[in-house]
Amino acid sequence: MNKTAMSSAWHHSRRGRGHRHKEQGRVTRDRVEEQKAEDSVPHGTCMTMCPAYELRQREAQNRLHRFEMVADTERDHLPRADVSRAVKEYSRPAAGKDSTRASNLRPPSVLLKTVCHLVDDIATSSTFQPWAEVYSFVFDRLRSVRQDMIIQRVSGTDCVAVLEKSVRFLLYASYRLCGQHLQYFDPRINDTHLQECLSWLLESYRDGKHQHQEEFQALSLLYNLGSTEAIQHVLELPERIRSSPAVRLALAVSRAHMERNPVRLLHLAQRLDFIQVCAVHRHLLPCRTDLLLLYSHGHSSRNCRYPLQRLARLLFLKDTLAAELCQVYGVNVTGEWVNFSKSSFTDAASGDLQCRRMHEPLDDEQWNCSASSVIHGCA
């Protein structure tokens, strides 16, 4: 080999070693940065549901909720806090306020224990009433739980379990408190937090297989009927999830909604379980309106009578509620018969028509039983 060739080979070899050293150096720096980022994440050391400092402060300032007080001290000048029932309240981030102090943060296991307390001992209890107050308390404390999770960057099975119970609670509340005065329940705020929980939960499912993934993929689609993003997300899921019964049913409901086929959608809705009805219920009243409009044009005749009982089955309602809905939209009901007329149908429904009035009426005991089974994922 001549000198020129040897010199060229030596230079190439040197450049190759230089590139390898640079690449190794870059990888090392990346690992160091990742380790620094990991070390900077705070890890909670508070092993109770409410940090001791906050508990003393709220007790001294008389800011305890009645669900957190020691029994028989509620009427005292300064009620005492029950450590086993007090839960850290949500606090907005503020300038100069250290929200990353380890003693004020609860580790993942304690956060899951807190959520179980909120569900088992508060939300599903028949002792604490009215339920609007129960919702307000649990909503705030669940928000605090998610705040601790965000600060600590919690992930894994505990994170998924917390989010699943939160989603079920918010879905159930959207159904149970539908139509309540804004002072007690704001559906937009509930929707915002529910969408955030769903988005976080679906993202967490990317880390691996989870027991209830099919259920919540279906719930997300049912809650967001008409959303192309929600449909696209489901269609990109693995085949084993797309082919599960829950997701297949949700896709069928979504397709009927996209095709503006109210008869098909309401027929499919009768196959949904309770938590799925909670997810889809906000779409049912517009769907029923479309069905009445469709039949008012298709069966418009003075001599045509349609059986009320059959129409009630199509509307997925009891006979009395179906008759009430017909009258609101100008559809004439006489006894057990309905007379459709396209000229008498009115889209401008009266202002007092509420989605809640089309719900299945339940007494307090049934509501509490349904809350327990729904939030625990047994319904």
Side-chain angles (χ1 to χ4, degrees):
M1 183 182 293
N2 58 33
K3 290 184 178 181
T4 304
M6 290 177 63
S7 176
S8 176
W10 181 79
H11 282 297
H12 279 296
S13 175
R14 187 175 183 182
R15 282 199 298 270
R17 289 196 299 271
H19 283 305
R20 285 196 296 273
H21 286 314
K22 287 181 181 179
E23 183 64 22
Q24 291 172 358
R26 186 183 65 79
V27 172
T28 302
R29 285 195 301 273
D30 289 345
R31 288 176 178 171
V32 170
E33 292 298 326
E34 289 177 4
Q35 187 62 42
K36 286 182 179 179
E38 179 66 25
D39 293 341
S40 66
V41 175
H43 298 282
T45 59
C46 175
M47 302 308 295
T48 57
M49 294 188 294
C50 184
Y53 173 76
E54 179 188 317
L55 193 62
R56 291 193 302 269
Q57 187 180 51
R58 288 206 284 133
E59 190 176 46
Q61 297 174 355
N62 197 15
R63 291 195 297 113
L64 292 171
H65 194 282
R66 68 183 182 94
F67 298 161
E68 303 172 310
M69 298 175 184
V70 173
D72 300 325
T73 69
E74 293 91 346
R75 297 186 178 182
D76 293 354
H77 176 62
L78 285 177
R80 297 201 314 273
D82 186 338
V83 179
S84 65
R85 296 167 61 193
V87 182
K88 179 181 178 181
E89 65 180 1
Y90 175 75
S91 177
R92 293 183 180 278
K97 182 179 180 181
D98 185 10
S99 59
T100 62
R101 186 178 299 172
S103 60
N104 291 335
L105 294 173
R106 297 158 292 181
S109 59
V110 178
L111 293 174
L112 182 56
K113 171 190 169 185
T114 302
V115 172
C116 290
H117 163 73
L118 292 170
V119 171
D120 297 334
D121 302 330
I122 306 295
T124 64
S125 171
S126 59
T127 305
F128 301 122
Q129 297 295 334
W131 206 81
E133 182 182 1
V134 172
Y135 165 79
S136 177
F137 176 80
V138 175
F139 178 89
D140 177 86
R141 294 334 190 242
L142 286 178
R143 192 177 182 185
S144 172
V145 166
R146 296 197 300 276
Q147 187 179 47
D148 279 14
M149 289 170 61
I150 291 171
I151 293 173
Q152 299 175 88
R153 300 183 188 176
V154 175
S155 60
T157 55
D158 285 340
C159 174
V160 168
V162 166
L163 291 172
E164 286 177 346
K165 290 182 182 295
S166 299
V167 167
R168 288 195 188 105
F169 170 77
L170 294 171
L171 282 174
Y172 173 79
S174 72
Y175 187 83
R176 179 164 182 172
L177 297 178
C178 178
Q180 290 281 343
H181 193 278
L182 286 176
Q183 178 183 354
Y184 306 111
F185 176 73
D186 189 326
R188 291 189 179 183
I189 293 177
N190 191 81
D191 172 69
T192 299
H193 287 265
L194 178 52
Q195 295 285 18
E196 289 175 356
C197 288
L198 277 172
S199 176
W200 189 356
L201 178 60
L202 299 188
E203 185 64 30
S204 299
Y205 283 149
R206 297 180 185 273
D207 297 337
K209 294 182 180 180
H210 296 275
Q211 181 180 358
H212 303 294
Q213 182 173 356
E214 293 85 355
E215 172 194 348
F216 285 91
Q217 296 287 1
L219 288 175
S220 177
L221 182 57
L222 290 171
Y223 187 73
N224 293 294
L225 286 184
S227 167
T228 54
E229 291 83 0
I231 297 173
Q232 184 68 25
H233 171 80
V234 171
L235 294 178
E236 292 175 354
L237 292 172
E239 173 63 25
R240 65 177 180 83
I241 298 176
R242 290 202 316 273
S243 60
S244 66
V247 175
R248 288 174 60 187
L249 179 56
L251 281 169
V253 172
S254 176
R255 180 175 179 177
H257 183 270
M258 296 291 284
E259 294 174 349
R260 296 293 298 271
N261 187 341
V263 177
R264 173 72 173 158
L265 192 154
L266 290 168
H267 176 72
L268 291 169
Q270 298 178 44
R271 293 165 51 189
L272 301 175
D273 61 29
F274 188 84
I275 187 62
Q276 291 173 329
V277 171
C278 291
V280 82
H281 88 274
R282 63 178 183 161
H283 304 283
L284 294 183
L285 184 56
C287 184
R288 288 168 176 142
T289 303
D290 288 345
L291 188 146
L292 289 180
L293 175 62
L294 183 68
Y295 273 52
S296 292
H297 284 74
H299 297 276
S300 180
S301 172
R302 290 183 180 180
N303 301 319
C304 177
R305 297 191 305 170
Y306 199 89
L308 175 62
Q309 190 175 22
R310 184 175 179 182
L311 179 64
R313 287 200 303 270
L314 289 174
L315 291 170
F316 191 21
L317 289 173
K318 289 187 175 181
D319 293 3
T320 53
L321 293 176
E324 181 180 348
L325 186 66
C326 286
Q327 292 169 358
V328 166
Y329 285 99
V331 178
N332 184 44
V333 178
T334 306
E336 298 180 357
W337 300 96
V338 180
N339 298 102
F340 289 107
S341 172
K342 60 183 178 183
S343 60
S344 63
F345 182 88
T346 174
D347 263 331
S350 60
D352 63 345
L353 177 67
Q354 295 178 346
C355 176
R356 181 179 178 83
R357 289 170 60 186
M358 298 296 110
H359 292 183
E360 189 74 17
L362 298 174
D363 57 30
D364 287 340
E365 184 177 352
Q366 289 174 307
W367 273 122
N368 292 327
C369 290
S370 64
S372 177
S373 59
V374 165
I375 302 174
H376 280 299
C378 305

